[in-house]
Amino acid sequence: RMIILSGRLESFGLLLKCVLASVTMLGYATLVLIFVQCVCGMIISTLVSRYLEDPAMDAEGRRHVFQYWGTFTRTFLTMFEVLFANWAPSCRALVDNVSEWFTLIFVAYRCIVGFALLNVVNSVFVSQTLKIADSDEEYLIKLRQKHQDQYRKKLETLFKAADVTNDGFLELDEFMRLLEDEKMHLWLSQLQLEYHDLMELFQMIDSGDGRIDWKEFMEGAGRLKGQAKSMDVFRLETKIDAVMKSLNDKDGSKQRWKRNISLDSS
C-alpha cells in the first residue's frame, strides 16, 4: 500500500507542478478570451440595440431579448454561456424575435471561437504540461527505470519460453526453434529486435560451448534494442581507425625490414 501510495503521490506532485507552471499561460489565455468575448458581445449588442429601443416591437419579445443582451454585463455573461454552456436559448431569443440572420453569426462564432480558438488554447496547455514533464529529471529517471524493468521482464519471458530444458541456458537448437516461430518474430519486433540480429548475437556472445545464459542474453539483447547510437558508431569507427593504423605500421615496418635486408645483401 505504501508503494502504491508513493506512486500516486509522485503523480500528484507532477500534476501540481504542471498546474503551477500553467498559471501564467492561464492568465494570458483568459485575457485573450475576455477580449474576444467583449468584441463579439459589443457587435451583437449594437445590432440588437435598435430592436430594444423600438417601441413598436412586441414588448414580451423585447423583454426576452433584454434578459440576454440588454446591458454590457448581461451580454458579457451571455457570451460566456454561448461559448461554454447552453447557447441555444440566447441564440433563439435573437433568431425568433430580431432576425434569422443571427443564425449565421452564431454558427460562425461557435466554429471560429468555440472550436478553433479553444483547441489552440488546449494545445498550448498540453504543450506546456509536456514541457514541464520533460524537464522534471526525477520523473524522467523513474520513467526510464520503469521502461527498463518492463523490457527486462519481457526479455525474461522470452528467454523462459525458448529455454525448453529449463536449465537456465539457451542452446543453439533451442535458439533456432525460437527464431523459426512466426509469432516470436512479431514479439521480437515489439521488443525492437530483429531475428537475424539475435542469430548474430548468439554467435558473438557464445563462449564456445554452444549455449548462453540469462545474463549474457539480457546484456546482448539490450545492446541490440533500437537504432545504433552515435556513441556506438563513433566507438566502432575509432576501433577501425586503430586497427588500420596498426596494420599500416606493421606494413611500414615490413617494408623497412625488406629494404634493410636488400641493402645488407648488396
Side-chain angles (χ1 to χ4, degrees), residues 56-141:
M57 297 297 177
D58 182 60
E60 185 63 28
R62 287 194 297 162
R63 187 180 299 107
H64 188 201
V65 174
F66 183 85
Q67 290 178 354
Y68 294 102
W69 309 98
T71 62
F72 175 79
T73 54
R74 291 173 183 267
T75 302
F76 185 75
L77 178 60
T78 301
M79 293 305 298
F80 273 92
E81 288 180 348
V82 171
L83 185 61
F84 296 107
N86 185 15
W87 60 284
S90 56
C91 175
R92 285 293 182 180
L94 297 181
V95 172
D96 295 340
N97 297 288
V98 183
S99 174
E100 293 184 357
W101 286 104
F102 280 99
T103 302
L104 299 178
I105 296 176
F106 278 95
V107 170
Y109 176 81
R110 289 288 300 177
C111 292
I112 297 175
V113 180
F115 180 74
L117 182 59
L118 286 185
N119 282 339
V120 170
V121 173
N122 291 334
S123 63
V124 170
F125 273 98
V126 172
S127 177
Q128 182 74 11
T129 302
L130 294 177
K131 186 182 298 184
I132 297 300
D134 292 338
S135 62
D136 192 337
E137 296 181 358
E138 183 178 358
Y139 171 76
L140 291 177
I141 292 174

Coordinates of all heavy atoms in Angstrom, one line a residue, residues 56-141:
A56 N -42.3 50.0 -31.2 CA -43.3 49.4 -32.0 C -43.2 47.9 -31.9 O -44.1 47.1 -32.3 CB -43.2 49.9 -33.4
M57 N -42.1 47.4 -31.5 CA -41.9 45.9 -31.4 C -42.6 45.3 -30.2 O -43.0 46.0 -29.3 CB -40.4 45.6 -31.3 CG -39.6 46.0 -32.5 SD -40.2 45.1 -34.0 CE -39.1 45.9 -35.2
D58 N -42.8 44.0 -30.2 CA -43.5 43.3 -29.2 C -42.8 43.5 -27.8 O -41.6 43.3 -27.8 CB -43.7 41.8 -29.5 CG -44.4 41.1 -28.5 OD1 -45.6 41.4 -28.2 OD2 -43.8 40.1 -27.9
A59 N -43.6 43.9 -26.8 CA -42.9 44.1 -25.5 C -42.4 42.9 -24.9 O -41.3 42.9 -24.3 CB -44.0 44.8 -24.6
E60 N -43.1 41.8 -25.0 CA -42.7 40.5 -24.5 C -41.4 40.0 -25.2 O -40.5 39.5 -24.5 CB -43.8 39.4 -24.6 CG -43.4 38.1 -23.9 CD -43.3 38.2 -22.4 OE1 -43.9 39.2 -21.8 OE2 -42.5 37.4 -21.8
G61 N -41.3 40.2 -26.5 CA -40.1 39.8 -27.2 C -38.9 40.7 -26.8 O -37.8 40.2 -26.6
R62 N -39.2 42.0 -26.7 CA -38.1 42.9 -26.2 C -37.6 42.5 -24.8 O -36.4 42.6 -24.5 CB -38.5 44.3 -26.3 CG -38.6 44.9 -27.7 CD -38.7 46.4 -27.7 NE -39.9 46.8 -27.0 CZ -40.1 48.1 -26.6 NH1 -39.1 49.0 -26.7 NH2 -41.2 48.4 -26.0
R63 N -38.5 42.2 -24.0 CA -38.2 41.8 -22.6 C -37.3 40.5 -22.6 O -36.3 40.3 -21.9 CB -39.4 41.6 -21.7 CG -39.1 41.3 -20.3 CD -40.3 41.2 -19.4 NE -41.2 42.3 -19.5 CZ -42.3 42.4 -20.2 NH1 -42.8 41.4 -20.8 NH2 -43.0 43.5 -20.2
H64 N -37.7 39.6 -23.5 CA -36.9 38.3 -23.6 C -35.5 38.5 -24.1 O -34.6 38.0 -23.6 CB -37.7 37.4 -24.6 CG -37.1 36.0 -24.6 ND1 -37.4 35.1 -25.6 CD2 -36.3 35.3 -23.7 CE1 -36.7 34.0 -25.4 NE2 -36.1 34.1 -24.2
V65 N -35.4 39.4 -25.1 CA -34.1 39.7 -25.7 C -33.3 40.5 -24.7 O -32.0 40.3 -24.5 CB -34.2 40.5 -27.0 CG1 -32.8 41.0 -27.5 CG2 -34.9 39.7 -28.0
F66 N -33.9 41.4 -23.9 CA -33.2 42.2 -22.9 C -32.6 41.3 -21.8 O -31.5 41.7 -21.2 CB -34.2 43.2 -22.3 CG -33.5 44.2 -21.3 CD1 -32.8 45.3 -21.7 CD2 -33.5 43.9 -19.9 CE1 -32.2 46.1 -20.8 CE2 -32.9 44.7 -19.0 CZ -32.3 45.9 -19.5
Q67 N -33.2 40.2 -21.5 CA -32.7 39.3 -20.4 C -31.3 38.8 -20.8 O -30.5 38.6 -19.9 CB -33.6 38.1 -20.2 CG -34.9 38.5 -19.6 CD -35.8 37.3 -19.4 OE1 -35.5 36.2 -19.9 NE2 -37.0 37.5 -18.7
Y68 N -31.0 38.7 -22.1 CA -29.7 38.1 -22.5 C -28.8 39.2 -23.0 O -27.6 39.2 -22.9 CB -29.9 37.1 -23.6 CG -30.6 35.9 -23.2 CD1 -32.0 35.7 -23.5 CD2 -30.0 34.9 -22.5 CE1 -32.7 34.5 -23.1 CE2 -30.6 33.7 -22.1 CZ -32.0 33.5 -22.4 OH -32.6 32.4 -22.0
W69 N -29.3 40.3 -23.7 CA -28.5 41.2 -24.4 C -28.8 42.7 -24.1 O -28.4 43.6 -24.8 CB -28.7 41.0 -25.9 CG -28.5 39.6 -26.4 CD1 -29.5 38.7 -26.6 CD2 -27.3 38.9 -26.6 NE1 -29.0 37.5 -27.0 CE2 -27.6 37.6 -27.0 CE3 -26.0 39.3 -26.6 CZ2 -26.7 36.7 -27.4 CZ3 -25.0 38.3 -26.9 CH2 -25.4 37.0 -27.3
G70 N -29.5 42.9 -23.0 CA -29.9 44.3 -22.6 C -28.8 45.2 -22.1 O -28.8 46.4 -22.4
T71 N -27.8 44.7 -21.4 CA -26.7 45.5 -20.8 C -25.4 44.9 -21.1 O -25.3 43.7 -21.6 CB -26.9 45.7 -19.3 OG1 -26.8 44.4 -18.7 CG2 -28.2 46.3 -19.0
F72 N -24.3 45.6 -20.8 CA -23.0 45.1 -21.0 C -22.7 43.8 -20.2 O -22.2 42.8 -20.7 CB -21.9 46.1 -20.7 CG -20.5 45.6 -20.9 CD1 -19.9 45.5 -22.1 CD2 -19.8 45.2 -19.7 CE1 -18.6 45.0 -22.2 CE2 -18.5 44.8 -19.8 CZ -17.9 44.6 -21.1
T73 N -23.1 43.9 -18.9 CA -22.8 42.7 -18.1 C -23.7 41.5 -18.5 O -23.2 40.4 -18.5 CB -23.2 43.1 -16.6 OG1 -24.5 43.6 -16.5 CG2 -22.2 44.1 -16.1
R74 N -24.9 41.7 -18.9 CA -25.8 40.6 -19.4 C -25.2 40.1 -20.7 O -25.1 38.8 -20.9 CB -27.2 41.1 -19.7 CG -28.0 41.5 -18.4 CD -29.3 42.1 -18.8 NE -30.1 42.5 -17.6 CZ -31.0 41.8 -17.0 NH1 -31.2 40.6 -17.4 NH2 -31.6 42.2 -15.9
T75 N -24.7 40.9 -21.6 CA -24.1 40.5 -22.8 C -22.8 39.7 -22.5 O -22.6 38.6 -23.2 CB -23.8 41.7 -23.7 OG1 -25.0 42.4 -24.0 CG2 -23.2 41.2 -25.0
F76 N -22.0 40.2 -21.6 CA -20.8 39.5 -21.3 C -21.0 38.1 -20.7 O -20.3 37.2 -21.1 CB -20.0 40.4 -20.2 CG -18.6 39.9 -19.9 CD1 -17.6 40.0 -20.8 CD2 -18.4 39.2 -18.7 CE1 -16.3 39.5 -20.5 CE2 -17.1 38.8 -18.4 CZ -16.1 38.9 -19.3
L77 N -22.0 38.0 -19.8 CA -22.3 36.7 -19.3 C -22.9 35.8 -20.4 O -22.6 34.6 -20.4 CB -23.3 36.9 -18.1 CG -23.8 35.6 -17.5 CD1 -22.6 34.8 -16.9 CD2 -24.9 35.9 -16.4
T78 N -23.7 36.3 -21.2 CA -24.3 35.5 -22.3 C -23.3 35.0 -23.2 O -23.4 33.8 -23.7 CB -25.4 36.4 -23.0 OG1 -26.4 36.8 -22.1 CG2 -26.0 35.6 -24.1
M79 N -22.3 35.8 -23.5 CA -21.2 35.4 -24.5 C -20.5 34.2 -23.9 O -20.1 33.2 -24.6 CB -20.3 36.5 -24.8 CG -20.9 37.7 -25.6 SD -21.6 37.1 -27.1 CE -20.2 36.5 -28.0
F80 N -20.2 34.2 -22.6 CA -19.6 33.0 -22.0 C -20.5 31.8 -21.9 O -20.0 30.7 -22.0 CB -19.1 33.4 -20.6 CG -17.7 34.0 -20.5 CD1 -17.5 35.4 -20.6 CD2 -16.6 33.2 -20.5 CE1 -16.3 35.9 -20.6 CE2 -15.3 33.8 -20.5 CZ -15.2 35.1 -20.5
E81 N -21.8 32.0 -21.8 CA -22.7 30.9 -21.9 C -22.7 30.4 -23.3 O -22.8 29.1 -23.4 CB -24.1 31.4 -21.5 CG -24.3 31.7 -20.0 CD -25.7 32.2 -19.7 OE1 -26.4 32.5 -20.7 OE2 -26.1 32.3 -18.5
V82 N -22.7 31.2 -24.3 CA -22.7 30.7 -25.6 C -21.4 29.9 -25.9 O -21.4 28.9 -26.6 CB -22.7 31.9 -26.6 CG1 -22.5 31.5 -28.1 CG2 -24.1 32.6 -26.5
L83 N -20.3 30.3 -25.3 CA -19.0 29.6 -25.6 C -18.9 28.3 -24.8 O -18.4 27.3 -25.3 CB -17.8 30.5 -25.2 CG -16.4 30.0 -25.5 CD1 -16.3 29.7 -27.0 CD2 -15.4 31.0 -25.1
F84 N -19.3 28.3 -23.5 CA -19.0 27.2 -22.6 C -20.3 26.4 -22.2 O -20.1 25.3 -21.7 CB -18.3 27.6 -21.4 CG -16.9 28.2 -21.6 CD1 -16.7 29.6 -21.6 CD2 -15.9 27.4 -22.0 CE1 -15.4 30.1 -21.8 CE2 -14.6 27.9 -22.3 CZ -14.4 29.2 -22.2
A85 N -21.4 27.0 -22.3 CA -22.6 26.4 -21.7 C -23.7 26.2 -22.8 O -23.4 26.0 -24.0 CB -23.2 27.2 -20.6
N86 N -25.0 26.3 -22.4 CA -26.1 26.1 -23.3 C -26.3 27.4 -24.1 O -26.8 28.4 -23.6 CB -27.3 25.7 -22.5 CG -28.5 25.4 -23.4 OD1 -28.3 25.2 -24.6 ND2 -29.7 25.3 -22.8
W87 N -26.0 27.4 -25.4 CA -26.0 28.6 -26.2 C -27.3 28.7 -27.0 O -27.6 29.7 -27.6 CB -24.9 28.6 -27.2 CG -24.8 27.5 -28.1 CD1 -24.4 26.2 -27.9 CD2 -25.2 27.5 -29.5 NE1 -24.5 25.5 -29.0 CE2 -25.0 26.2 -30.0 CE3 -25.7 28.5 -30.4 CZ2 -25.2 25.9 -31.4 CZ3 -25.9 28.2 -31.7 CH2 -25.7 26.9 -32.2
A88 N -28.2 27.7 -26.9 CA -29.4 27.7 -27.7 C -30.4 28.8 -27.3 O -31.0 29.5 -28.1 CB -30.1 26.3 -27.7
P89 N -30.7 28.9 -25.9 CA -31.7 29.9 -25.6 C -31.4 31.4 -26.0 O -32.3 32.1 -26.5 CB -31.8 29.8 -24.0 CG -31.3 28.4 -23.8 CD -30.3 28.1 -24.8
S90 N -30.2 31.8 -25.8 CA -29.8 33.1 -26.1 C -29.8 33.3 -27.7 O -30.1 34.4 -28.2 CB -28.4 33.5 -25.6 OG -27.4 32.5 -26.0
C91 N -29.4 32.3 -28.4 CA -29.4 32.4 -29.8 C -30.9 32.4 -30.3 O -31.2 33.2 -31.2 CB -28.7 31.2 -30.4 SG -28.7 31.0 -32.2
R92 N -31.7 31.6 -29.8 CA -33.1 31.5 -30.2 C -33.8 32.9 -29.9 O -34.7 33.3 -30.6 CB -33.8 30.4 -29.5 CG -33.5 29.0 -30.0 CD -34.0 28.8 -31.4 NE -33.8 27.5 -31.9 CZ -34.1 27.1 -33.1 NH1 -34.7 27.9 -33.9 NH2 -33.8 25.9 -33.5
A93 N -33.4 33.5 -28.8 CA -34.0 34.8 -28.5 C -33.8 35.8 -29.6 O -34.8 36.6 -29.9 CB -33.5 35.3 -27.2
L94 N -32.7 35.8 -30.2 CA -32.4 36.8 -31.3 C -33.0 36.3 -32.6 O -33.5 37.1 -33.4 CB -30.9 37.0 -31.5 CG -30.2 37.6 -30.3 CD1 -28.7 37.8 -30.6 CD2 -30.8 38.9 -29.9
V95 N -32.9 35.0 -32.9 CA -33.4 34.4 -34.2 C -34.9 34.5 -34.2 O -35.5 34.9 -35.3 CB -33.0 33.0 -34.3 CG1 -33.6 32.3 -35.6 CG2 -31.4 32.9 -34.4
D96 N -35.6 34.3 -33.1 CA -37.1 34.3 -33.1 C -37.7 35.7 -33.1 O -38.8 35.9 -33.6 CB -37.6 33.5 -32.0 CG -37.3 32.0 -32.1 OD1 -37.0 31.5 -33.2 OD2 -37.3 31.3 -31.0
N97 N -37.0 36.6 -32.4 CA -37.5 38.0 -32.2 C -36.9 39.1 -33.1 O -37.6 40.0 -33.4 CB -37.4 38.4 -30.7 CG -38.2 37.4 -29.8 OD1 -39.4 37.5 -29.8 ND2 -37.4 36.6 -29.1
V98 N -35.6 39.0 -33.4 CA -34.9 40.1 -34.1 C -34.8 39.7 -35.6 O -35.4 40.3 -36.4 CB -33.6 40.4 -33.4 CG1 -32.9 41.5 -34.2 CG2 -33.7 40.6 -32.0
S99 N -33.9 38.7 -35.9 CA -33.7 38.4 -37.3 C -33.1 37.0 -37.4 O -32.3 36.6 -36.5 CB -32.7 39.4 -37.9 OG -32.4 39.0 -39.2
E100 N -33.4 36.3 -38.4 CA -32.9 34.9 -38.6 C -31.4 35.0 -39.1 O -30.8 33.9 -39.1 CB -33.8 34.2 -39.6 CG -35.2 33.9 -39.1 CD -36.0 33.0 -40.1 OE1 -35.4 32.7 -41.2 OE2 -37.1 32.7 -39.7
W101 N -30.9 36.1 -39.5 CA -29.5 36.3 -39.9 C -28.6 36.0 -38.7 O -27.4 35.8 -39.0 CB -29.3 37.6 -40.5 CG -29.9 37.8 -41.9 CD1 -31.0 38.5 -42.2 CD2 -29.4 37.2 -43.1 NE1 -31.3 38.4 -43.5 CE2 -30.3 37.7 -44.1 CE3 -28.3 36.5 -43.4 CZ2 -30.1 37.3 -45.5 CZ3 -28.1 36.1 -44.8 CH2 -29.0 36.5 -45.8
F102 N -29.1 36.1 -37.5 CA -28.2 35.8 -36.4 C -27.8 34.4 -36.3 O -26.9 34.0 -35.6 CB -28.9 36.2 -35.1 CG -28.9 37.7 -34.8 CD1 -29.9 38.5 -35.0 CD2 -27.7 38.2 -34.2 CE1 -29.9 39.9 -34.8 CE2 -27.7 39.6 -33.9 CZ -28.7 40.4 -34.2
T103 N -28.5 33.5 -37.1 CA -28.1 32.1 -37.2 C -26.7 32.0 -37.7 O -25.9 31.2 -37.2 CB -29.1 31.3 -38.0 OG1 -30.4 31.5 -37.5 CG2 -28.7 29.9 -38.1
L104 N -26.4 32.7 -38.8 CA -25.1 32.7 -39.4 C -24.0 33.2 -38.4 O -22.9 32.7 -38.4 CB -25.1 33.5 -40.7 CG -26.0 33.0 -41.8 CD1 -25.9 33.9 -43.0 CD2 -25.7 31.5 -42.2
I105 N -24.4 34.3 -37.7 CA -23.4 34.9 -36.8 C -23.0 33.9 -35.7 O -21.8 33.7 -35.4 CB -24.0 36.2 -36.2 CG1 -24.2 37.2 -37.3 CG2 -23.1 36.7 -35.1 CD1 -24.9 38.5 -36.8
F106 N -24.0 33.2 -35.1 CA -23.7 32.3 -34.0 C -23.0 31.0 -34.5 O -22.2 30.5 -33.8 CB -25.0 31.9 -33.3 CG -25.5 32.9 -32.3 CD1 -26.4 33.9 -32.6 CD2 -24.9 32.9 -31.0 CE1 -26.8 34.9 -31.7 CE2 -25.3 33.9 -30.1 CZ -26.2 34.9 -30.4
V107 N -23.4 30.6 -35.7 CA -22.7 29.4 -36.2 C -21.2 29.7 -36.5 O -20.3 28.9 -36.2 CB -23.4 28.9 -37.5 CG1 -22.6 27.8 -38.2 CG2 -24.8 28.3 -37.2
A108 N -21.0 30.9 -37.1 CA -19.6 31.3 -37.4 C -18.8 31.5 -36.0 O -17.7 31.1 -35.9 CB -19.6 32.6 -38.2
Y109 N -19.5 32.1 -35.0 CA -18.8 32.3 -33.8 C -18.5 31.0 -33.1 O -17.4 30.8 -32.6 CB -19.8 33.1 -32.9 CG -19.2 33.3 -31.5 CD1 -18.3 34.3 -31.2 CD2 -19.6 32.5 -30.4 CE1 -17.8 34.5 -29.9 CE2 -19.2 32.7 -29.1 CZ -18.2 33.7 -28.9 OH -17.7 33.8 -27.6
R110 N -19.4 30.0 -33.1 CA -19.1 28.7 -32.5 C -18.0 28.0 -33.2 O -17.2 27.3 -32.6 CB -20.4 27.9 -32.5 CG -21.5 28.4 -31.6 CD -21.1 28.1 -30.1 NE -20.9 26.6 -29.9 CZ -20.5 26.1 -28.7 NH1 -20.3 26.9 -27.7 NH2 -20.4 24.8 -28.6
C111 N -18.0 28.1 -34.5 CA -16.9 27.4 -35.3 C -15.6 28.0 -35.1 O -14.6 27.3 -34.9 CB -17.3 27.4 -36.8 SG -18.7 26.3 -37.2
I112 N -15.5 29.3 -35.1 CA -14.2 30.0 -35.0 C -13.7 30.1 -33.6 O -12.6 29.7 -33.3 CB -14.3 31.4 -35.6 CG1 -14.7 31.4 -37.1 CG2 -13.0 32.2 -35.4 CD1 -14.9 32.7 -37.8
V113 N -14.5 30.6 -32.7 CA -14.1 30.8 -31.3 C -14.3 29.5 -30.5 O -13.4 29.0 -29.8 CB -14.8 31.9 -30.6 CG1 -14.4 32.1 -29.2 CG2 -14.6 33.2 -31.4
G114 N -15.5 28.9 -30.6 CA -15.8 27.7 -29.8 C -15.0 26.5 -30.2 O -14.8 25.6 -29.4
F115 N -14.6 26.4 -31.4 CA -13.8 25.2 -31.9 C -12.3 25.5 -32.1 O -11.5 25.0 -31.5 CB -14.4 24.7 -33.2 CG -13.7 23.5 -33.7 CD1 -13.9 22.2 -33.1 CD2 -12.9 23.6 -34.8 CE1 -13.2 21.1 -33.6 CE2 -12.2 22.5 -35.3 CZ -12.4 21.2 -34.7
A116 N -12.0 26.5 -33.0 CA -10.6 26.7 -33.4 C -9.8 27.4 -32.2 O -8.8 26.8 -31.8 CB -10.6 27.6 -34.6
L117 N -10.3 28.4 -31.6 CA -9.6 29.2 -30.6 C -9.4 28.3 -29.4 O -8.3 28.2 -28.8 CB -10.3 30.5 -30.3 CG -9.6 31.4 -29.2 CD1 -8.2 31.7 -29.7 CD2 -10.4 32.6 -29.0
L118 N -10.5 27.6 -28.9 CA -10.4 26.8 -27.7 C -9.4 25.6 -27.9 O -8.7 25.3 -27.0 CB -11.8 26.3 -27.3 CG -12.7 27.4 -26.7 CD1 -14.0 26.7 -26.2 CD2 -12.0 28.1 -25.5
N119 N -9.4 25.1 -29.1 CA -8.5 24.0 -29.4 C -7.0 24.4 -29.4 O -6.1 23.7 -28.9 CB -8.8 23.3 -30.7 CG -10.0 22.4 -30.6 OD1 -10.3 21.9 -29.5 ND2 -10.6 22.1 -31.7
V120 N -6.8 25.7 -29.9 CA -5.5 26.2 -29.8 C -5.0 26.4 -28.3 O -3.9 26.1 -28.0 CB -5.4 27.6 -30.6 CG1 -4.1 28.3 -30.3 CG2 -5.6 27.3 -32.0
V121 N -5.9 27.0 -27.5 CA -5.6 27.1 -26.1 C -5.4 25.8 -25.4 O -4.4 25.7 -24.6 CB -6.8 27.9 -25.4 CG1 -6.6 27.9 -23.9 CG2 -6.9 29.3 -26.0
N122 N -6.2 24.8 -25.7 CA -6.0 23.5 -25.1 C -4.6 22.9 -25.6 O -3.9 22.3 -24.8 CB -7.1 22.5 -25.6 CG -8.4 22.9 -24.9 OD1 -8.5 23.5 -23.8 ND2 -9.5 22.5 -25.6
S123 N -4.3 23.0 -26.8 CA -3.0 22.5 -27.3 C -1.8 23.2 -26.6 O -0.8 22.6 -26.3 CB -2.9 22.7 -28.8 OG -2.9 24.0 -29.2
V124 N -2.0 24.5 -26.4 CA -0.9 25.2 -25.7 C -0.7 24.7 -24.2 O 0.4 24.5 -23.7 CB -1.2 26.7 -25.6 CG1 -0.2 27.5 -24.7 CG2 -1.1 27.3 -27.0
F125 N -1.8 24.4 -23.6 CA -1.8 23.9 -22.2 C -1.1 22.5 -22.2 O -0.3 22.2 -21.3 CB -3.2 23.8 -21.6 CG -3.6 25.1 -20.9 CD1 -4.4 26.0 -21.5 CD2 -3.1 25.3 -19.6 CE1 -4.7 27.2 -20.9 CE2 -3.5 26.5 -19.0 CZ -4.3 27.4 -19.6
V126 N -1.5 21.7 -23.2 CA -0.9 20.3 -23.3 C 0.6 20.4 -23.6 O 1.4 19.7 -23.0 CB -1.6 19.5 -24.4 CG1 -0.9 18.2 -24.7 CG2 -3.0 19.3 -24.0
S127 N 1.0 21.3 -24.5 CA 2.4 21.5 -24.7 C 3.2 22.0 -23.5 O 4.3 21.5 -23.2 CB 2.6 22.5 -25.9 OG 3.9 22.8 -26.1
Q128 N 2.6 22.9 -22.8 CA 3.2 23.4 -21.5 C 3.4 22.2 -20.5 O 4.4 22.1 -19.8 CB 2.4 24.5 -20.9 CG 3.0 25.1 -19.7 CD 4.2 26.0 -20.0 OE1 4.5 26.3 -21.1 NE2 4.9 26.4 -18.9
T129 N 2.3 21.4 -20.4 CA 2.4 20.3 -19.5 C 3.5 19.3 -19.9 O 4.3 18.8 -19.0 CB 1.0 19.6 -19.4 OG1 0.0 20.5 -19.1 CG2 1.1 18.4 -18.5
L130 N 3.6 19.0 -21.2 CA 4.6 18.0 -21.6 C 6.0 18.6 -21.4 O 7.0 17.9 -21.1 CB 4.4 17.7 -23.1 CG 3.2 16.9 -23.4 CD1 3.0 16.7 -24.9 CD2 3.2 15.6 -22.7
K131 N 6.2 19.9 -21.6 CA 7.4 20.6 -21.4 C 7.9 20.5 -19.9 O 9.0 20.2 -19.6 CB 7.4 22.1 -21.8 CG 8.7 22.8 -21.8 CD 8.5 24.2 -22.2 CE 8.0 24.3 -23.6 NZ 8.0 25.8 -24.0
I132 N 6.9 20.7 -19.0 CA 7.3 20.6 -17.6 C 7.6 19.1 -17.2 O 8.6 18.9 -16.5 CB 6.1 21.1 -16.7 CG1 5.8 22.6 -17.0 CG2 6.3 20.8 -15.2 CD1 7.0 23.4 -16.7
A133 N 6.9 18.2 -17.8 CA 7.2 16.8 -17.5 C 8.5 16.4 -18.0 O 9.3 15.6 -17.4 CB 6.1 15.9 -18.1
D134 N 8.9 16.9 -19.2 CA 10.2 16.5 -19.8 C 11.3 17.2 -19.0 O 12.5 16.7 -19.1 CB 10.2 17.0 -21.3 CG 9.3 16.1 -22.1 OD1 9.0 15.0 -21.7 OD2 8.9 16.6 -23.2
S135 N 11.1 18.3 -18.3 CA 12.2 19.0 -17.6 C 12.3 18.5 -16.2 O 13.2 18.9 -15.5 CB 11.9 20.5 -17.6 OG 10.7 20.8 -16.9
D136 N 11.4 17.6 -15.7 CA 11.5 17.0 -14.4 C 12.4 15.8 -14.4 O 12.1 14.7 -14.9 CB 10.1 16.6 -13.9 CG 10.1 16.3 -12.4 OD1 11.1 15.9 -11.9 OD2 9.0 16.3 -11.8
E137 N 13.7 16.0 -14.0 CA 14.7 15.0 -14.1 C 14.4 13.7 -13.2 O 14.6 12.6 -13.7 CB 16.1 15.5 -13.6 CG 16.6 16.6 -14.5 CD 17.9 17.2 -14.0 OE1 18.4 16.7 -13.0 OE2 18.5 18.0 -14.7
E138 N 13.8 14.0 -12.0 CA 13.5 12.8 -11.2 C 12.4 12.0 -11.8 O 12.5 10.7 -11.8 CB 13.0 13.4 -9.8 CG 12.7 12.3 -8.8 CD 12.3 12.8 -7.5 OE1 12.3 14.1 -7.3 OE2 11.9 12.0 -6.6
Y139 N 11.4 12.6 -12.4 CA 10.3 11.9 -13.1 C 10.9 11.1 -14.3 O 10.5 10.0 -14.5 CB 9.2 12.9 -13.5 CG 8.2 12.3 -14.4 CD1 7.2 11.5 -13.9 CD2 8.2 12.5 -15.8 CE1 6.2 10.9 -14.7 CE2 7.2 12.0 -16.6 CZ 6.2 11.2 -16.0 OH 5.3 10.6 -16.8
L140 N 11.8 11.8 -15.1 CA 12.3 11.1 -16.2 C 13.2 9.9 -15.8 O 13.1 8.8 -16.5 CB 13.2 12.1 -17.0 CG 12.4 13.2 -17.7 CD1 13.4 14.2 -18.4 CD2 11.4 12.6 -18.8
I141 N 13.9 10.0 -14.8 CA 14.7 8.9 -14.3 C 13.9 7.7 -13.9 O 14.1 6.5 -14.3 CB 15.6 9.3 -13.1 CG1 16.7 10.3 -13.6 CG2 16.3 8.1 -12.5 CD1 17.6 10.9 -12.5

